[in-house]
Amino acid sequence: MKVLLIGNGAREHALCRSLSLDPDVTALYCAPGNAGIAEVAELRQVDPLDGRAVAALALELGADLVVVGPEAPLVAGVADAVREAGIPVFGPSGEAAQLEGSKAFAKDIMAGAGVPTARSYVCTTPEEVDEALDAFGAPYVVKDDGLAAGKGVVVTADLEEAAAHANSCDRVVIEEFLDGPEVSLFAITDGVTVLPLQPAQDFKRALDDDEGPNTGGMGAYSPLPWADPKLVEEVLQTVLQPTVDELRRRGTPFSGLLYAGLAITSRGVRVIEFNARFGDPETQVVLARLKTPLAGILLAAANGALADLEPLRWSDDAAVTVVIASHNYPGTPRTGDPITGLADVATEDAPHAYVLHAGTKHDGDAVVSAGGRVLSVTATGKNLSQARDRAYTALGRIHLDGSQHRTDIAAKAAAGE
């Protein structure tokens, strides 16, 4: 099988790593990729938002499967263009991807499907914003209706900050605050059958103890030793399957990766948000534990054949990933700084720990930073404590001037094992 993957982040590096280990994959291409992905896939240049260009590249390469990684190309309809070219593609249509592209659309689907979520208002004027903020009270949860690369949400007790964010958006969703721990659950679907993966937890705030601004994610771990063993089955029955069924009923079948961000509240499970693609950095830990070869699963989803698959096989090991971010992230990051120590991790820590590249590129022979989140240091172990130790040991070998990372990823969960 020849596979073309679209994207250039750590999520895409994790996907490429898993695909490169799949014996059925005979050729692996990534466009545009990054410095780390170049070690496991052949890089190609393409505008990820140009569906025709992506389809043309897939035809030129003779790809048997195209995997679209990030949300922006999906919302832009790139998967539609590839499907129209007759090539199997893992990723929803532009219309179905509105589940992530529009918070208001997602709320409407959840209402139709009877999926439990936070009460909310969609606001387009300052007057509506004031009324909604007043109705719910603090802490305020304000979400830009459109795509914002994981940074469009403000949760704050400060009324002025909440109003300022709301009024900076063309259209905004204001909703009640959901208490309780958060869980990320991915499911692969062909539009009918829904195959849940293992749950993970990510860390959104920039600083230790969940302080600082929201980010795209600073680390993650899986499994969740504190979670109810029946959680995945419950979410499949109450959230994932009803959502997929409702989208199909409306004539916008969803095929690809359905991501549910969940709050385990005192009143039960509630959906915080849906995404239409693998989440970053949770993908890094979920794929680290998946034993079933990945390409066949993604191809079955693309071809409507998930019901024929054997049950997925998982490692009993735990996985932890810690993100190394550049100076000033999540503000405008400093880029172009050299990264050293990557070869030391490969020599000293493999196979239990490895580095997935996010914002990197080659500058001559050197690898330099090229984005906000630069690397995801990922490790496995017999439990979270061992995986965590291995991840931070490997991280300690890497140097990037001015970089930052959290020191408490998976710490509480490991302490409770």
Side-chain angles (χ1 to χ4, degrees):
M1 194 191 310
K2 293 181 179 177
V3 183
L4 168 62
L5 189 136
I6 304 301
N8 65 348
R11 159 189 49 223
E12 286 76 29
H13 193 174
L15 287 163
C16 278
R17 180 181 181 273
S18 290
L19 290 166
S20 73
L21 297 172
D22 186 330
D24 288 339
V25 175
T26 53
L28 179 59
Y29 305 94
C30 186
N34 63 38
I37 294 173
E39 295 174 16
V40 292
E42 204 175 302
L43 300 193
R44 288 287 194 272
Q45 281 306 311
V46 78
D47 177 356
L49 298 175
D50 185 338
R52 285 185 181 175
V54 171
L57 176 61
L59 286 168
E60 178 194 325
L61 296 172
D64 302 298
L65 174 67
V66 174
V67 180
V68 183
E71 60 273 25
L74 290 168
V75 172
V78 166
D80 301 273
V82 177
R83 275 194 193 92
E84 285 162 17
I87 301 168
V89 58
F90 183 81
S93 67
E95 205 173 346
Q98 285 301 313
L99 200 62
E100 176 170 5
S102 167
K103 304 286 189 297
F105 176 82
K107 288 287 186 185
D108 188 49
I109 293 293
M110 283 188 263
V115 167
T117 186
R119 291 179 302 122
S120 63
Y121 295 104
V122 180
C123 307
T124 55
T125 69
E127 292 75 25
E128 290 173 348
V129 165
D130 290 343
E131 279 182 35
L133 293 173
D134 188 49
F136 288 130
Y140 306 101
V141 181
V142 184
K143 300 180 175 181
D144 190 335
D145 182 49
L147 289 181
K151 299 176 212 161
V153 179
V154 165
V155 180
T156 179
D158 185 326
L159 178 59
E160 285 186 17
E161 184 187 357
H165 180 63
N167 290 319
S168 72
C169 306
D170 291 334
R171 193 176 190 218
V172 69
V173 174
I174 295 173
E175 62 184 39
E176 67 177 328
F177 178 76
L178 296 174
D179 63 324
E182 294 185 13
V183 172
S184 298
L185 185 62
F186 300 162
I188 290 172
T189 178
D190 55 12
V192 178
T193 302
V194 181
L195 204 61
L197 305 186
Q198 289 289 310
Q201 187 175 56
D202 77 333
F203 295 75
K204 283 275 188 272
R205 299 283 185 172
L207 307 175
D208 283 6
D209 300 318
D210 292 327
E211 299 285 335
N214 253 356
T215 71
M218 295 298 290
Y221 69 93
S222 179
L224 312 181
W226 49 268
D228 186 328
K230 301 192 196 88
L231 176 66
V232 173
E233 185 58 32
E234 180 192 341
V235 175
L236 175 63
Q237 300 299 335
T238 62
V239 174
L240 299 169
Q241 191 71 56
T243 299
V244 168
D245 292 346
E246 177 68 11
L247 283 158
R248 188 176 68 255
R249 187 184 70 76
R250 293 189 183 202
T252 52
F254 187 105
S255 165
L257 194 290
L258 177 59
Y259 163 118
L262 308 164
I264 314 300
T265 77
S266 52
R267 294 166 296 148
V269 173
R270 297 287 185 273
V271 175
I272 301 168
E273 65 175 357
F274 283 125
N275 289 339
R277 39 73 196 181
F278 280 101
D280 185 344
E282 300 98 320
T283 301
Q284 289 85 303
V285 292
V286 172
L287 291 186
R289 300 185 56 225
L290 178 65
K291 291 174 81 171
T292 304
L294 182 61
I297 308 171
L298 303 186
L299 185 64
N303 287 333
L306 275 183
D308 303 330
L309 274 191
E310 298 282 315
L312 298 182
R313 292 179 292 111
W314 295 92
S315 166
D316 291 331
D317 283 357
V320 172
T321 194
V322 184
V323 170
I324 298 177
S326 55
H327 178 73
N328 200 42
Y329 178 77
T332 304
R334 193 174 82 199
T335 59
D337 289 312
I339 302 163
T340 58
L342 297 172
D344 297 336
V345 175
T347 304
E348 302 291 332
D349 303 288
H352 301 297
Y354 48 89
V355 181
L356 298 167
H357 291 232
T360 68
K361 66 177 184 181
H362 279 114
D363 182 3
D365 292 335
V367 175
V368 301
S369 60
R373 291 186 295 175
V374 182
L375 303 167
S376 286
V377 182
T378 304
T380 56
K382 66 179 186 291
N383 53 31
L384 285 174
S385 297
Q386 187 179 51
R388 201 173 171 274
D389 288 346
R390 286 171 169 172
Y392 279 106
T393 297
L395 185 147
R397 303 187 203 280
I398 298 167
H399 180 74
L400 169 62
D401 188 47
S403 67
Q404 53 178 317
H405 66 272
R406 283 183 58 158
T407 65
D408 62 347
I409 302 300
K412 281 183 187 166
E417 282 181 324

